[in-house]
Amino acid sequence: MYKLFLKIATRYLFKNKLYSFINIFGLAIGIASFVLIMLYVNYENSYDKFKGSENVYRTYMDYLEGGDTFAPGDAMTYNLSGPTLKKEFPEVLDYVRFYYFEKMTFKVGDRILEEPLGSLADPSYFNIFSYPLLKGNKETVLAEPYSIVLSKSFAKKLFGNENPIQKTISAYRAGTEAVLTVTGIMEDVPKTAHYRNSFLISYETEKTWTDWGPRAHELNWNMNNYYTYLKLAPNTNTDLLRQKIIDSDIEEDEEERHNIEPIEAIHLYSNKPYEVSVNGSATRIKFLSAIAFIILILSWLNYVNLSATKSMERAKETGIRKVAGAQKSQLIIQSLMESTLLNFIAIGFAVLLVLILLPTYNAITSKELSLTFSNIIDFLPYFAFILLGMLLAGLYPAVLLSRYSPAKALKGKVRASAEGLNIRKGLITTQFLATIILLIGTIVVTKQINFLESKPIGANVNQIIALKGSVVTSKADSLVVNDFQVLKEELKTLSFVKNTAIAQTYPGDSFDNLSSTRGIELPDGTRKDEKIFYSYHAQPDYFDLVDIEFLAGGTFLPSSDWEGNQVVVNETFLKTMGISSPEDILNKTISFWGNNDWRVSGVIKDYYHFGLKSPVLPMVIRYQREVSNVLVKLDPSVTSTAGFTPAINQIKAKWKQVFPQSTFNYIFLDQKFEAQYKEDKAFGTAFQIFTFLAIIIASMGLFGLTSYTVVQRKKEIGIRKVNGATIAQVLTLLNKDFVKWVGLAFVIALPISWYAMNKWLEGFAYKTTLSWWVFALAGIVALFIALLTVSWQSFQAAIANPVESLRDE
């Protein structure tokens, strides 16, 4: 029997090619879109999942904002935080501290190379993070000073296929050499870890690294430069522990407190200053998940609507089957068999689409997503959802078909019931409701990204490169600084170099190169202990190089008697300190870091150091000769003709001339700044693509429904035309219902989309407005799409010869 059902189902699908194509193609697009989006969602949700990760928490700082209100502060804590929390709270079984190195320079033989992402770490690392240790004893590899554990890929880069255990390498930090012994090799940390390390140096090494100062290694509450992770006892009541830690005031400072958060939540839910890596966005994930389910449900609604409408056409077939003795259950099984066959064909095409589109999708999202066995296991709940949806989508048309009276069916008197028509109208309205919401979302996301990219940031980062190489030398710091001054002058001799400067950071850089402080005091005694101020150093020509405007005063004066204690502050600094006029602070001294003689030489206009996603921070820029980044402003007229490669090669030659023992790398500041919006732009692109696909699915369903409606009303149209109806009147007759449905969908979509996009925009410190025209444009586009889809077939019906439709009467 089932073999016969399958044969009949196959014949039916091949006989009704347009109907089959619309359903299969619509379902395939819906399922493929769902799979692609959920691959990304699962990837983002998989961060920091390892054996025991549910018991690993990070401790961070909350800072008093005013009154009794605390706000999440730094992701970093003190070197005393971990030991104290373990001592005070029995729920804390162990801790590990990291001192993060954005990069470090290593030398093996004559080879010099840089490696990013490394840390000082406590020996407890491998007891808390269950990443495999391939060689070495996890209890001892980080126990002794000058021990280093390498990742598998970094070890291969350093030593090739040789066994690196007990070999030595030289590491350079701030010009100081340390000879390290390789004690272990670990598996590469997964890319789905928010804290990734290519190497780990034993924490004990800090105590002997003399350039840190004689007391830098001592346990204290003075320098919060450490990331601290805690291993909690299983089944700990974390809410209770969090409150106990907050109430304990272990650091004995009323204006700050410790807090904890699960490591599994950091990537999506934590976005604090000094995060070790760029965070994802839970809001973005929720929006993408909603889009995935909307598109999938749209494709099912298409199937239900078309199948229910098509069932009218099969009324006589059903009547004959019932007269021949077919049971109601058999008719339902037959219909479900057709639905199952169609859906499985669609799934096959969907998988093919996913495999074809995955490389392009990876390029858009900057991820390395793939359909692997582990991914398929993760997808099992979704597959169950898809199968359930397939069953429910096929069940309604099947039940509807089995309910037709055989007598009416054989007399051709089966008509769509009011209830059935209302359901189909509701389905079309729901499809356009989802389409309009997605259209509004696409317009708002695109508008916000354009706003971020087009709004002036208060600085000019175009045609500027930062030279970030590492110098291996035994010279004293003062001599190294002089060498960099020599490099600056050498670079100025190049015809395409407009200017050079040295600065610790630049617009678009991360928090890593900023310092922070609280408790800045003015000469009149005004003091802000609860506010965090951020600071970096620069040299006098920095402000001119990046075109930062001065509101009062000017840049540092190198020949001044107080040369080393000059600072420049920004507008937000003045507002924070309650200063109304920039001139009021000029040449006044402020105190912080134990120095009472920081003299203000100028006030700059606010610029967006972190782009428009973050608020402008109160900033203090200090004059120092210390070297961090050499910034080079290129002449656009020169570089635009020959490209940047010849210019970079000449800059590199000058660098190597001054620093023969060094690495050389660079970054364009405008590219670095744009990278801040990379995830948002990818989200915008994905939103646009999947909205387009949703429109295709909705349009295909409307096209199929219109085709059937025109066939059903063919004779009515012929009669109207014989009685004098014009083409315009026939078009109005066929189109007016669809216009009403789109209008109803638009009214319902307005509050939903307004609320959803407001929630998304809350993630930006500076945002575009939700203008009325955004909603109007989405409604007009949706109406245009509906009319375009319907009108072609309506027009064909309107111009048809009425004799053809009335011939049988």
Side-chain angles (χ1 to χ4, degrees), residues 2 8 32 128 154 187 212 232 253 259 299 307 329 363 462 474 519 525 535 562 590 678 707 749 760:
Y2 291 104
I8 294 171
I128 295 177
F154 185 37
E187 187 62 74
W212 288 31
L232 306 184
D253 188 333
N259 205 334
S299 64
S307 298
S329 60
N462 296 322
S474 58
S535 173
W562 31 279
I590 60 177
K678 184 178 180 180
S707 298
W760 180 70

Side-chain angles (χ1 to χ4, degrees), residues 233-253:
N235 303 317
T236 295
N237 185 331
T238 52
D239 291 333
L240 179 60
L241 176 61
R242 179 183 291 109
Q243 195 58 50
K244 286 164 61 178
I245 290 174
I246 287 173
D247 295 339
S248 65
D249 193 26
I250 57 173
E251 67 283 352
E252 298 181 356
D253 188 333

Side-chain angles (χ1 to χ4, degrees), residues 126-402:
F126 291 103
N127 291 326
I128 295 177
F129 292 87
S130 59
Y131 303 132
L133 183 65
L134 304 178
K135 293 183 179 180
N137 185 323
K138 70 177 187 178
E139 304 296 335
T140 60
V141 285
L142 293 172
E144 299 297 326
Y146 297 109
S147 299
I148 185 170
V149 176
L150 308 175
S151 69
K152 182 170 68 175
S153 58
F154 185 37
K156 189 172 182 63
K157 190 187 298 186
L158 286 173
F159 298 103
N161 294 323
E162 296 180 32
N163 182 3
I165 298 299
Q166 295 306 310
K167 291 185 180 294
T168 59
I169 56 177
S170 294
Y172 294 86
R173 182 187 179 279
T176 301
E177 178 185 12
V179 179
L180 307 175
T181 301
V182 179
T183 55
I185 304 297
M186 62 182 177
E187 187 62 74
D188 291 349
V189 176
K191 292 183 178 180
T192 52
H194 82 282
Y195 200 128
R196 298 178 62 207
N197 288 295
S198 296
F199 61 89
L200 296 170
I201 300 173
S202 61
Y203 182 83
E204 290 295 309
T205 306
E206 177 190 39
K207 299 180 180 179
T208 58
W209 231 324
T210 55
D211 69 292
W212 288 31
R215 300 186 61 188
H217 66 275
E218 295 180 4
L219 296 177
N220 61 72
W221 297 114
N222 296 324
M223 296 174 61
N224 56 329
N225 295 329
Y226 299 83
Y227 297 99
T228 306
Y229 295 82
L230 311 173
K231 183 177 182 179
L232 306 184
N235 303 317
T236 295
N237 185 331
T238 52
D239 291 333
L240 179 60
L241 176 61
R242 179 183 291 109
Q243 195 58 50
K244 286 164 61 178
I245 290 174
I246 287 173
D247 295 339
S248 65
D249 193 26
I250 57 173
E251 67 283 352
E252 298 181 356
D253 188 333
E254 294 180 355
E255 293 168 354
E256 64 182 32
R257 68 188 188 190
H258 283 71
N259 205 334
I260 59 172
E261 60 188 337
I263 190 173
E264 294 178 354
I266 290 174
H267 177 67
L268 291 180
Y269 295 94
S270 178
N271 191 23
K272 303 176 180 64
Y274 302 104
E275 290 284 357
V276 73
S277 60
V278 178
N279 293 93
S281 167
T283 302
R284 189 160 55 232
I285 292 303
K286 290 174 183 176
F287 267 88
L288 287 173
S289 299
I291 293 171
F293 282 96
I294 286 172
I295 292 177
L296 186 60
I297 292 170
L298 279 179
S299 64
W300 288 338
L301 293 181
N302 256 4
Y303 176 78
V304 171
N305 214 351
L306 287 174
S307 298
T309 306
K310 197 72 173 173
S311 67
M312 299 282 296
E313 199 176 280
R314 302 182 68 183
K316 285 187 179 180
E317 175 193 339
T318 304
I320 293 170
R321 287 180 182 277
K322 282 192 171 184
V323 169
Q327 300 295 317
K328 185 175 181 180
S329 60
Q330 290 175 318
L331 293 172
I332 292 174
I333 292 171
Q334 170 67 52
S335 183
L336 286 175
M337 184 75 75
E338 292 172 7
S339 171
T340 303
L341 177 62
L342 189 144
N343 274 276
F344 273 103
I345 293 172
I347 288 174
F349 279 111
V351 171
L352 186 61
L353 278 173
V354 169
L355 294 175
I356 292 171
L357 297 175
L358 203 51
T360 304
Y361 187 64
N362 282 336
I364 293 171
T365 60
S366 300
K367 305 295 182 186
E368 296 179 6
L369 308 174
S370 60
L371 274 178
T372 62
F373 179 75
S374 60
N375 284 337
I376 292 173
I377 296 297
D378 292 338
F379 259 88
L380 286 179
Y382 301 134
F383 286 142
F385 176 74
I386 291 172
L387 291 174
L388 177 63
M390 287 166 46
L391 176 64
L392 294 177
L395 198 57
Y396 172 69
V399 172
L400 186 66
L401 196 64
S402 68

Side-chain angles (χ1 to χ4, degrees), residues 728-756:
Q729 287 173 328
V730 174
L731 285 174
T732 302
L733 172 72
L734 294 173
N735 291 358
K736 64 179 182 180
D737 283 341
F738 295 108
V739 173
K740 285 192 296 187
W741 300 341
V742 173
L744 177 61
F746 177 71
V747 171
I748 299 171
L750 283 179
I752 297 173
S753 53
W754 181 87
Y755 174 79

Side-chain angles (χ1 to χ4, degrees), residues 539-544 550 552-558 566-568 601-602:
Q539 293 189 359
D541 38 16
Y542 165 74
F543 303 99
D544 180 56
F550 276 89
T555 189
F556 310 122
L557 302 174
Q566 296 177 80
V567 295
V568 168
S601 66

Side-chain angles (χ1 to χ4, degrees), residues 377-434:
I377 296 297
D378 292 338
F379 259 88
L380 286 179
Y382 301 134
F383 286 142
F385 176 74
I386 291 172
L387 291 174
L388 177 63
M390 287 166 46
L391 176 64
L392 294 177
L395 198 57
Y396 172 69
V399 172
L400 186 66
L401 196 64
S402 68
R403 289 170 59 185
Y404 290 145
S405 165
K408 288 184 178 180
L410 292 174
K411 290 179 182 180
K413 294 183 177 180
V414 172
R415 296 288 182 268
S417 66
E419 179 186 357
L421 285 174
N422 289 334
I423 289 174
R424 287 191 278 284
K425 289 176 183 178
L427 294 176
I428 287 292
T429 303
T430 304
Q431 285 182 305
F432 273 94
L433 168 64

